[in-house]
């Protein structure tokens, strides 16, 4: 695989994969290749990472399109799960994640849950091979009158061997996520209102990125999602973002290699 990975560990069982061993114990349906190196999101990356949001991939040839984007340098795949309630749109779910894991055993799968009840899907996504389970603060207590308890959900995500991510929408005050900052492997700042790809970047969210960056541990990644292209990504990276999610600007590019190269080189 040509995509950039770091660090080049000599360990035969990277942390993420060894965690999956327990999740997949007894499973014969998924054949993980334990000797390959999985992206280690807990190490600060030497340059911004590119998360290819498969929402803009060609759904008629999804594996080929994902292979193409990874071969051209994308670092991880971002999987947008929408339930038609938390956001009006319906997209993909557990089966897509499982299929991606089967075809890309060594690729980090970043699953972004835009659903009302993320807690109902956490075990399923772990079993399907997700590496990161990111849920919205707007779907949990106390912002929502719901049974979704963020502390319990983070506990469960970690028990299942996944990384925990919390997501904040543009209209939401970023301080809403403060109680959980120490427990997260990733914070995702939405730079569009979630629901579809191809929307315009909202620059006002850059202040939130700076606020988060000042408060997270070096092992916690800061991701931005929505309207990211090689222009808007410059301000995002300057504000502390180290994982850039891109759907339309990446899958729709005439020259995908060049777009990924530009994103990787921001700040250097
Ligand atoms: C929006 C999704 C994004 C979306 C990004 O609800 O969470 O991941 O696919 O699309 P672009 O990069 O086209 O704005
Ligand atoms: Zn997303």
């Amino acid at each position: 695989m040509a995509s950039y990975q770091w660090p080049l560990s000599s360990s035969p069982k990277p942390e993420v994969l060894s965690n999956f061993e327990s999740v997949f114990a007894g499973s014969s349906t998924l054949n993980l290749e334990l000797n390959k190196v999985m992206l280690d999101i807990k190490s600060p990356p030497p340059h911004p990472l590119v998360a290819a949001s498969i929402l803009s991939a060609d759904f008629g040839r999804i594996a080929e399109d994902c292979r193409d984007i990874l071969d051209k340098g994308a670092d991880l795949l971002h999987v947008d799960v929408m339930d038609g309630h938390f956001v009006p749109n319906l997209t993909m779910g557990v089966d897509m994640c499982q299929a991606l894991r089967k075809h890309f055993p060594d690729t980090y799968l970043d699953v972004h849950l835009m659903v009302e009840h993320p807690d109902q899907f956490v075990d399923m996504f772990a079993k399907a091979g997700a590496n990161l389970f990111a849920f919205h603060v707007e779907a949990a207590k106390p912002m929502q009158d719901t049974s979704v308890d963020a502390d319990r959900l983070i506990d469960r995500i970690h028990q299942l061997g996944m990384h925990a991510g919390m997501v904040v929408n543009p209209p939401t005050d970023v301080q809403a996520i403060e109680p959980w900052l120490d427990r997260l492997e990733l914070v995702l700042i939405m730079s569009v209102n979630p629901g579809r790809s191809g929307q315009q970047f909202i620059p006002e969210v850059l202040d939130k990125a700076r606020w988060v960056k000042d408060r997270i541990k070096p092992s916690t990644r800061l991701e931005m999602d929505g309207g990211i292209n090689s222009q808007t990504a410059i301000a995002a990276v300057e504000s502390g973002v180290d994982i850039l999610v891109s759907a339309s600007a990446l899958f729709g590019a005439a020259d995908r290699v060049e777009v990924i190269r530009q994103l990787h080189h921001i700040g250097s």
Side-chain angles (χ1 to χ4, degrees), residues 53 78 80 112 114 188 190 225 245:
S53 168
H78 178 91
D80 284 314
H112 174 193
M114 285 159 276
L188 169 50
M190 290 306 299
D225 181 7
V245 178

Side-chain angles (χ1 to χ4, degrees), residues 23 59 72 90 105 114 124 133 185 192 194 211 231 245:
V23 175
F59 280 24
K72 287 177 175 163
L90 279 170
M114 285 159 276
M124 286 186 256
F133 187 94
E185 282 75 35
V192 296
W211 187 92
Q231 290 310 304
V245 178

